[in-house]
Amino acid sequence: MYLSLYLIDTQYNIYSMKKFILDLIVKKNVLLSNQYSLIILTSSEKLPEILPGQFAEVRVDGSNTTFLRRPISIHYVDYETNELWLLIQVIGDGTKRMAEVKVGETMNIILPLGNTFASPTRKDAKLMLIGGGCGVAPLLFLGAYFKREGYEVNFLLGARSEADILQKSEYERFGNVYITTEDGSLGEKGFVTQHSVLKGSNFDYIYTCGPTPMMKAVASYALKTNAVCEVSLENTMACGIGACLCCVTDTVDGHVCVCTEGPVFNITKLKWQI
Amino acid sequence: MYLSLYLIDTQYNIYSMKKFILDLIVKKNVLLSNQYSLIILTSSEKLPEILPGQFAEVRVDGSNTTFLRRPISIHYVDYETNELWLLIQVIGDGTKRMAEVKVGETMNIILPLGNTFASPTRKDAKLMLIGGGCGVAPLLFLGAYFKREGYEVNFLLGARSEADILQKSEYERFGNVYITTEDGSLGEKGFVTQHSVLKGSNFDYIYTCGPTPMMKAVASYALKTNAVCEVSLENTMACGIGACLCCVTDTVDGHVCVCTEGPVFNITKLKWQI
Amino acid sequence: MANLNINIGKLQLKNPVMTASGTFGYGTEFSDFMDLSRIGGTTIRERQGNPYPRMAETPSGMLNAVGLQNKGVDYFINKIYPSIKDIDTNIIVNVSGSTVEDYVETAEKLNSLEKIPAIELNISCPNVKEGGMAFGTSCPSAAQVVREVRRVYKNEMIVKLSPNVTDISEIARAVEGEGADSVSLINTLLGMAINAEKRKPVLSTITGGLSGPAVKPIALRMVWQVSNAVKIPVIGLGGIMNATDAIEFMLAGATAIQIGTANFIDPTVSVKVVDGINEYLDKHGFKHVSELIGALEI
Amino acid sequence: MANLNINIGKLQLKNPVMTASGTFGYGTEFSDFMDLSRIGGTTIRERQGNPYPRMAETPSGMLNAVGLQNKGVDYFINKIYPSIKDIDTNIIVNVSGSTVEDYVETAEKLNSLEKIPAIELNISCPNVKEGGMAFGTSCPSAAQVVREVRRVYKNEMIVKLSPNVTDISEIARAVEGEGADSVSLINTLLGMAINAEKRKPVLSTITGGLSGPAVKPIALRMVWQVSNAVKIPVIGLGGIMNATDAIEFMLAGATAIQIGTANFIDPTVSVKVVDGINEYLDKHGFKHVSELIGALEI
Ligand SMILES: Cc1cc2nc3c(=O)[nH]c(=O)nc-3n(C[C@H](O)[C@H](O)[C@H](O)COP(=O)(O)OP(=O)(O)OC[C@H]3O[C@@H](n4cnc5c(N)ncnc54)[C@H](O)[C@@H]3O)c2cc1C
Ligand SMILES: Cc1cc2nc3c(=O)[nH]c(=O)nc-3n(C[C@H](O)[C@H](O)[C@H](O)COP(=O)(O)OP(=O)(O)OC[C@H]3O[C@@H](n4cnc5c(N)ncnc54)[C@H](O)[C@@H]3O)c2cc1C
Ligand SMILES: Cc1cc2nc3c(=O)[nH]c(=O)nc-3n(C[C@H](O)[C@H](O)[C@H](O)COP(=O)(O)O)c2cc1C
Ligand SMILES: Cc1cc2nc3c(=O)[nH]c(=O)nc-3n(C[C@H](O)[C@H](O)[C@H](O)COP(=O)(O)O)c2cc1C
Ligand code: FES
Ligand code: FES
C-alpha cells in the first residue's frame, strides 16, 4: 500500500496550483441524451494545468432561480485543441440552464479546484475505474492521464440503460471498457459490482465516482479484495475554495472540507459504514 | 371638450376587455440603436383585441436579478401578420435581457392592460402625437388607429440625436412626421416644445408620452393653446392588473392606480404643477 | 385523487390554498385568468381606496409601502361586499386599525355579514404609524386587541402575526390565550431600499414591507416554531411561489397556506398550487391533505 | 481620485471595504484571485476547524449551519496567527462563546496579539445553542458580555448585532452604553429549508442563518435605524454584492461595510467594490468617502 506517498504527492500538487477565474467560450454543446449534455469550452488563452479529479465552480448566468455557483467535475482537458469538457446531468434549474448554453456564449468558471487521484507507484499495477451515472465524468480525464503515464486502464461504466452510457467511444480510446446496465440493454445486466470482470480478476487500485450507494458497494468490494480504493465525493458547496466550511464530510481526521481536502478520498479515511 | 364622453368610452372598452396570459414567440429582434430593440412577437393563435395606449406585463425569463414582470407599451399590432411589436429601451437588467431575446424564444406576456386614448368626436379635429425617447412607443399604434379611423395624424418625435429617432419610416406610414433632436443632427434642433410646427398651427388634441419633464412642457403648451391633452404615465408596477395598489398617482379623484385607471390620463385629472 | 378539504377551526376550506391580503385585490382582478371557486379562500382588505404610492423590487422579492389609508369598513360593506359576496370561495376580511377601538368597531360590523366567515386581524402591518405593527410586536398589546375583538366577533378569528419580533412563538401563545381561533404568518418584514444615484430612499415612507421568495426561509422557520408552540391551526405564508413551497409550509406545521406576491408574477399561481398539491399527494400515496400537516421528520 | 481612508474608532482602514466573518476563510484562500492588501480589512473567526456540515441555497441567498465548533483561540494563536499576521490589511478576529467567560478569556488572549487591531464580538450567531445569539437578543445579556469583555480588551471592540430582534436600536444602545467602540450588523437571519420530497429539514441543525442579497432590504433598514440611534460608528453588511449596494449602506449611515456571501460567487468582489466606490465618488464629485456616511436625503 502506498498511501503516505500518495498523500504527499497529492498535497504537493494541490497547494502549489494557482486557481483562476476564467471566462470560457462555448465551442460545442452536444446533447448526449435527454438528461445529459457534453459542453466543450475553449479560451483564447492557454488553459491552465488541471489534474484529473479536480472540479470547477461554474457561475450560472441566465437562470432566475440559481444564486450560487455549481460544482462540476472536469470531464476532460484536451491541451492540443485547448478544450475543457464538462458533462452535465440535468438535475434542477442550474444544470438545466447549463445544459442549454449556446455556442459562443461564455461561462464564468473558477478552476482548478480540489485534489486529485493518487497514482500507483508501480506501472504494472492493475487499475479499475468504476463510474455510475454522471459520476463517469472525472474518470475519462483520469483514464487519459493514466494511459499517458503508461498504465493499463480498465473502465467499468454502469447506468440504468444503454441511453445513459455516455461517451463510450471516448473511454475506449484510453482503456478497456466494461459495461453494466440495470435493464441489460448494453453490457452485462445488473449493477457495476455484479460485473464478471470484478469476479475474474483482482485489481490493485480502484477509483470510483457515482451515486453514494454505488460507491459504498465498490468500496466494500475493494476492502474485501485488498485493493487501494479512492472515491470522489459530492457535497453541497457554496464556495468551492475552502472559505465557507459548508461542504464538510466526516473522516478519521475529523470534519474536513470536500472542496479542498477532496473531492477524492481514500476510503480508509472515510467513516463510512461499509 | 368631449371629456365625459371619452371617459365613458374608455371605461366601457377596458372593463369589457378580457385579459390574457400568452406565450408569444419571438419572430424578429431588430437592434435599432445601441439602446433600443424592436421585438416582433407572434403566436399560433390570433392575437386578442388590443387598444392603442394599452400595455403588457412581460415576464423576464433568464435574468438572475429580475423578479417582477416589466410593463411595456404596445408599440404596434399588425393583425394581418398577427404580430405584436414591442420597443425596448435598455435601462437595467430586465430590459437588457428582453433586448437580447433570440428568434424562436417565447415571452410570457399578460395583456391587454390599462386604458386607451380618447378619440376626438369630430373627424376634422387637428391631432398631434408627441413622443420623446422610448415614449414614442405607444404613439405608432395610436397613429395607425387614428389614420384607420379617418383622422389626419401628425407626429412630433424628439430625441437626443439622430440615432435615437426610432422607426421614423413606420411613423411616416400613418401621418406627417416632425422631428427635433437636442444636437440638431436630425430635424429641428432643441426640445419638442420648441418645434416650429407647434408655433405655426393650433391643435385640438395632443397626445403625449415620454419623460415627465417633456410631458409637463407639452401639457403646459396644451393648456395655453386650449387643446385637449392626454398623457401616458409611467409608474413602478408590481402586478399591472390593479391587485397590488403599488402604482398610484395623485389625481383630482384621489390616488388612483396607473395600471387600471391609466396609463393614459387627461391632464385636467392630474395634480401636476404646470 | 386525494381529499383536499381542510378545516381551520370553524372555517371549512375546499383546499388549503388561499390568497394573501393586499395581493389579490378583491379577487375580481383575477377572474379573467382563473376560476376563483377553485381555491380554498381569499383574504381581502376591508379598507382600500387611496393608498400611498411606491414599491421597490428587491432580490427575489419586493418592498411595498401601500399602507392602509382608505375608505373604511362602511365603504366596504356598502360598496364592495355586494359585488363580491357571491364569489364561490371563502372570503376572509383582513382588518387593521390604529386603535383598539378601530379593530373592535370593524370586527363588530363584519360579524353581521353572512358571507364573511372569518376575519384576519392584521396586527402586523409595518406600513402604518400605529397601524398595527406596534400591536403585533409585544405580547400585552397583541393580547389586548385580540381580547377586545373576541368579545364582539363570533366567527373565525385569524390573527396575522408580525415577523419583526425576537420571539414570534411568545406572541402566538399570547393571542391563543385570548381566544384567537388561528394565526397566520408571516406578514412582511420591515425593509428599506435606497436609490444610490439620487441618494434618496426609494419608498415615500422610507421603510416598507418585504415579501416574496427572499423571505421564505424566515417564514418557514417561524411557521415551524409557532406550530410547535400553539394548539390552534397555523396558516403559513411568505414567499410561496409553487406547490413545493406550499407543501414545505404544511410539513413545517401549517394547516393551510396563503399566496401573496406570487400572484403578481403568475395570476394563476393559486390554482396551479392546488393542482400541484394534488399531484404530490397522489405521487406519495397520501389520501388526505391533512396528512402533510407537521409531517416533517426531524 | 477621492480619498478612501476611513477610521472606525481607533481602527484605521485604507478604505471602507472589509470581508465578513465566516465567508473569507483566513483570506489566503483568496490570494490567487486578488491582492488582499487592496481591501480595508478582513474579519476572520478565531475558532475554526471541525464545523458541522450543510448549507442550502435559497432564493437570492443561502442558509448556513456552519456553527462554531472548532479548535479554539489557542490553536488560532499558535497555528494560524503566525501565517496570516503579515497580510497587509486589518485583520479583525470574530469572537464567539457559549458563556461570558469564553468571550472574556478569548478577548484577553487576543488583546496581546500585535497584528490584531480589533475584535468583533459575535453575540448574534444563530447556529449554536447558547452560542451567542441568546446574548444578542436581549439588552441585559448583550450589555453584560460587552461590559465584561471591555474590562480586559483594550483595542477596537466591534460588537456584531443580531437581526433576529424586535428592536435592534435598543440592543445597539445597550452595547454602546457598555463601551463598545462600534457595532456591525447584520448577522444572519434565522431561517429554515425543507426538502419536500424527503419531508426532512435540509440542514442538520434544522434551522440556519440566512445571508445574501435576499436579506439586503432588512439589513439596510437596520443600519439606518441603528445609525440614527447610536453615536459610535456602524459597520454595515448583509447582501452586499457590488459597489452600489455598499454605497447604499454608507448612505444609510454605515462608516464601513463588510462583504460576506458575495465572496462565494465572485472571489474578487471586494476589490471590485473598492474600485466601484472610487468611481462613484469621482462621478459625483465627492472628495472623501466619508461624505457618503448617512448622506441619505429624507
Ligand atoms: C465535486 C463535485 C463534482 C460534480 N460534478 C458534476 C458533473 O461533472 N456533472 C454534473 O452534472 N454534476 C456534477 N455535480 C453535481 C452538481 O453540482 C449538481 O447536480 C448541481 O449542483 C445541481 O444544481 P441544480 O441547480 O441543477 O439543482 P438544484 O436546484 O440545486 O437541486 C435540485 C434538487 O436536486 C437535489 N440535488 C442537488 N444536487 C444534487 C446531486 N448532486 N445529486 C442529486 N440530487 C441533487 C437538490 O437537493 C434539490 O432537491 C458535482 C458535484 C460536486 C460536489
Ligand atoms: C405603462 C408603462 C409602459 C412602458 N412602456 C415601455 C416601453 O414600451 N418600452 C420600454 O423600454 N420601457 C417601457 N416602460 C418602462 C419599463 O417598464 C422600465 O424601463 C423597466 O421596467 C425597467 O426594468 P429594468 O429591469 O430594465 O430596470 P431596473 O433594474 O428595474 O431599473 C434600473 C434603474 O432604472 C430605474 N428605472 C426603472 N424604471 C425606469 C424608467 N421607466 N425610466 C427611468 N428609469 C427607470 C430604476 O429605479 C433603477 O435605478 C414602460 C413603463 C410603464 C409603467
Ligand atoms: C403589495 C402588498 C400589500 C399588502 N397588504 C397587506 C394588507 O393590507 N394586510 C396584510 O395583512 N398583509 C398585507 N400584505 C402582506 C401579505 O399579505 C403577506 O403577508 C406577505 O406579502 C408575505 O407573503 P408573500 O411573500 O407570499 O407575498 C401585503 C403584501 C404586499 C406585497
Ligand atoms: C457560511 C457562513 C459562515 C458564517 N460564519 C460567521 C461567523 O463565524 N461569525 C459571524 O459573526 N458571522 C458569520 N457569518 C455571517 C456573515 O459574517 C454575515 O454577517 C452575513 O452572512 C450577512 O452578510 P452577507 O449577506 O454579505 O453574507 C457567516 C455567514 C456565512 C454565509
Ligand atoms: S464549499 Fe466552501 S468550504 Fe467547501
Ligand atoms: S401595478 Fe399593481 S395595482 Fe397597478
mmCIF file of all heavy atoms in Angstrom, chain D residues 226-245:
data_model
loop_
_atom_site.group_PDB
_atom_site.id
_atom_site.type_symbol
_atom_site.label_atom_id
_atom_site.label_comp_id
_atom_site.label_asym_id
_atom_site.label_seq_id
_atom_site.Cartn_x
_atom_site.Cartn_y
_atom_site.Cartn_z
ATOM 1 N N VAL D 226 -30.134 51.863 13.351
ATOM 2 C CA VAL D 226 -29.081 51.874 14.378
ATOM 3 C C VAL D 226 -28.213 53.123 14.253
ATOM 4 O O VAL D 226 -27.862 53.740 15.258
ATOM 5 C CB VAL D 226 -28.227 50.582 14.295
ATOM 6 C CG1 VAL D 226 -26.964 50.710 15.152
ATOM 7 C CG2 VAL D 226 -29.054 49.381 14.723
ATOM 8 N N SER D 227 -27.904 53.525 13.030
ATOM 9 C CA SER D 227 -27.016 54.685 12.923
ATOM 10 C C SER D 227 -27.734 55.962 13.359
ATOM 11 O O SER D 227 -27.086 56.945 13.705
ATOM 12 C CB SER D 227 -26.436 54.802 11.518
ATOM 13 O OG SER D 227 -27.458 55.019 10.607
ATOM 14 N N ASN D 228 -29.052 55.915 13.371
ATOM 15 C CA ASN D 228 -29.786 57.047 13.938
ATOM 16 C C ASN D 228 -29.899 56.961 15.459
ATOM 17 O O ASN D 228 -30.318 57.912 16.108
ATOM 18 C CB ASN D 228 -31.192 57.120 13.328
ATOM 19 C CG ASN D 228 -31.160 57.732 11.945
ATOM 20 O OD1 ASN D 228 -30.455 58.711 11.718
ATOM 21 N ND2 ASN D 228 -31.882 57.138 11.016
ATOM 22 N N ALA D 229 -29.560 55.794 15.995
ATOM 23 C CA ALA D 229 -29.763 55.591 17.438
ATOM 24 C C ALA D 229 -28.490 55.682 18.263
ATOM 25 O O ALA D 229 -28.551 55.920 19.465
ATOM 26 C CB ALA D 229 -30.423 54.224 17.683
ATOM 27 N N VAL D 230 -27.339 55.473 17.623
ATOM 28 C CA VAL D 230 -26.088 55.491 18.398
ATOM 29 C C VAL D 230 -25.101 56.512 17.832
ATOM 30 O O VAL D 230 -25.262 56.976 16.701
ATOM 31 C CB VAL D 230 -25.400 54.099 18.416
ATOM 32 C CG1 VAL D 230 -26.283 53.057 19.100
ATOM 33 C CG2 VAL D 230 -25.016 53.661 17.010
ATOM 34 N N LYS D 231 -24.079 56.814 18.621
ATOM 35 C CA LYS D 231 -23.067 57.769 18.174
ATOM 36 C C LYS D 231 -21.822 57.071 17.646
ATOM 37 O O LYS D 231 -21.029 57.664 16.935
ATOM 38 C CB LYS D 231 -22.689 58.691 19.336
ATOM 39 C CG LYS D 231 -23.837 59.610 19.738
ATOM 40 C CD LYS D 231 -23.359 60.783 20.583
ATOM 41 C CE LYS D 231 -24.542 61.615 21.008
ATOM 42 N NZ LYS D 231 -25.546 60.803 21.800
ATOM 43 N N ILE D 232 -21.608 55.832 18.081
ATOM 44 C CA ILE D 232 -20.423 55.083 17.626
ATOM 45 C C ILE D 232 -20.598 54.671 16.165
ATOM 46 O O ILE D 232 -21.718 54.617 15.654
ATOM 47 C CB ILE D 232 -20.172 53.841 18.516
ATOM 48 C CG1 ILE D 232 -21.447 52.973 18.603
ATOM 49 C CG2 ILE D 232 -19.688 54.251 19.901
ATOM 50 C CD1 ILE D 232 -21.275 51.703 19.422
ATOM 51 N N PRO D 233 -19.462 54.388 15.492
ATOM 52 C CA PRO D 233 -19.574 54.008 14.079
ATOM 53 C C PRO D 233 -20.311 52.684 13.879
ATOM 54 O O PRO D 233 -20.249 51.801 14.723
ATOM 55 C CB PRO D 233 -18.109 53.858 13.636
ATOM 56 C CG PRO D 233 -17.290 54.549 14.663
ATOM 57 C CD PRO D 233 -18.061 54.491 15.936
ATOM 58 N N VAL D 234 -20.974 52.604 12.745
ATOM 59 C CA VAL D 234 -21.733 51.417 12.383
ATOM 60 C C VAL D 234 -21.071 50.786 11.152
ATOM 61 O O VAL D 234 -20.762 51.483 10.188
ATOM 62 C CB VAL D 234 -23.195 51.805 12.055
ATOM 63 C CG1 VAL D 234 -23.969 50.613 11.489
ATOM 64 C CG2 VAL D 234 -23.881 52.369 13.294
ATOM 65 N N ILE D 235 -20.844 49.484 11.221
ATOM 66 C CA ILE D 235 -20.343 48.762 10.060
ATOM 67 C C ILE D 235 -21.528 47.996 9.469
ATOM 68 O O ILE D 235 -22.191 47.242 10.182
ATOM 69 C CB ILE D 235 -19.210 47.787 10.471
ATOM 70 C CG1 ILE D 235 -18.048 48.572 11.086
ATOM 71 C CG2 ILE D 235 -18.746 46.964 9.273
ATOM 72 C CD1 ILE D 235 -17.015 47.697 11.760
ATOM 73 N N GLY D 236 -21.782 48.231 8.194
ATOM 74 C CA GLY D 236 -22.991 47.666 7.585
ATOM 75 C C GLY D 236 -22.682 46.439 6.743
ATOM 76 O O GLY D 236 -21.705 46.429 5.994
ATOM 77 N N LEU D 237 -23.525 45.448 6.838
ATOM 78 C CA LEU D 237 -23.379 44.287 5.966
ATOM 79 C C LEU D 237 -24.690 43.522 5.884
ATOM 80 O O LEU D 237 -25.594 43.721 6.685
ATOM 81 C CB LEU D 237 -22.259 43.357 6.422
ATOM 82 C CG LEU D 237 -22.441 42.475 7.659
ATOM 83 C CD1 LEU D 237 -21.484 41.286 7.573
ATOM 84 C CD2 LEU D 237 -22.176 43.245 8.925
ATOM 85 N N GLY D 238 -24.747 42.671 4.887
ATOM 86 C CA GLY D 238 -25.945 41.878 4.648
ATOM 87 C C GLY D 238 -26.344 41.992 3.194
ATOM 88 O O GLY D 238 -27.007 42.938 2.797
ATOM 89 N N GLY D 239 -25.882 41.051 2.394
ATOM 90 C CA GLY D 239 -26.314 41.000 0.999
ATOM 91 C C GLY D 239 -25.602 41.932 0.048
ATOM 92 O O GLY D 239 -26.059 42.122 -1.082
ATOM 93 N N ILE D 240 -24.484 42.496 0.457
ATOM 94 C CA ILE D 240 -23.774 43.403 -0.458
ATOM 95 C C ILE D 240 -23.126 42.597 -1.586
ATOM 96 O O ILE D 240 -22.349 41.683 -1.338
ATOM 97 C CB ILE D 240 -22.717 44.233 0.305
ATOM 98 C CG1 ILE D 240 -23.418 45.151 1.308
ATOM 99 C CG2 ILE D 240 -21.843 45.027 -0.670
ATOM 100 C CD1 ILE D 240 -22.466 45.974 2.176
ATOM 101 N N MET D 241 -23.483 42.930 -2.815
ATOM 102 C CA MET D 241 -22.985 42.198 -3.984
ATOM 103 C C MET D 241 -22.107 43.068 -4.877
ATOM 104 O O MET D 241 -21.412 42.573 -5.746
ATOM 105 C CB MET D 241 -24.158 41.696 -4.841
ATOM 106 C CG MET D 241 -25.055 40.679 -4.163
ATOM 107 S SD MET D 241 -24.209 39.133 -3.742
ATOM 108 C CE MET D 241 -24.207 38.307 -5.344
ATOM 109 N N ASN D 242 -22.199 44.371 -4.727
ATOM 110 C CA ASN D 242 -21.459 45.266 -5.623
ATOM 111 C C ASN D 242 -21.317 46.645 -4.978
ATOM 112 O O ASN D 242 -21.806 46.875 -3.863
ATOM 113 C CB ASN D 242 -22.198 45.375 -6.969
ATOM 114 C CG ASN D 242 -23.669 45.738 -6.753
ATOM 115 O OD1 ASN D 242 -23.996 46.615 -5.963
ATOM 116 N ND2 ASN D 242 -24.561 45.045 -7.447
ATOM 117 N N ALA D 243 -20.648 47.539 -5.681
ATOM 118 C CA ALA D 243 -20.361 48.855 -5.119
ATOM 119 C C ALA D 243 -21.637 49.640 -4.834
ATOM 120 O O ALA D 243 -21.723 50.354 -3.829
ATOM 121 C CB ALA D 243 -19.458 49.650 -6.071
ATOM 122 N N THR D 244 -22.634 49.501 -5.680
ATOM 123 C CA THR D 244 -23.885 50.232 -5.448
ATOM 124 C C THR D 244 -24.499 49.835 -4.115
ATOM 125 O O THR D 244 -24.925 50.683 -3.330
ATOM 126 C CB THR D 244 -24.887 49.967 -6.592
ATOM 127 O OG1 THR D 244 -24.229 50.251 -7.822
ATOM 128 C CG2 THR D 244 -26.126 50.832 -6.456
ATOM 129 N N ASP D 245 -24.529 48.529 -3.853
ATOM 130 C CA ASP D 245 -25.044 48.063 -2.565
ATOM 131 C C ASP D 245 -24.230 48.665 -1.413
ATOM 132 O O ASP D 245 -24.790 49.121 -0.413
ATOM 133 C CB ASP D 245 -24.944 46.535 -2.474
ATOM 134 C CG ASP D 245 -25.868 45.809 -3.443
ATOM 135 O OD1 ASP D 245 -26.856 46.413 -3.896
ATOM 136 O OD2 ASP D 245 -25.591 44.635 -3.759
#
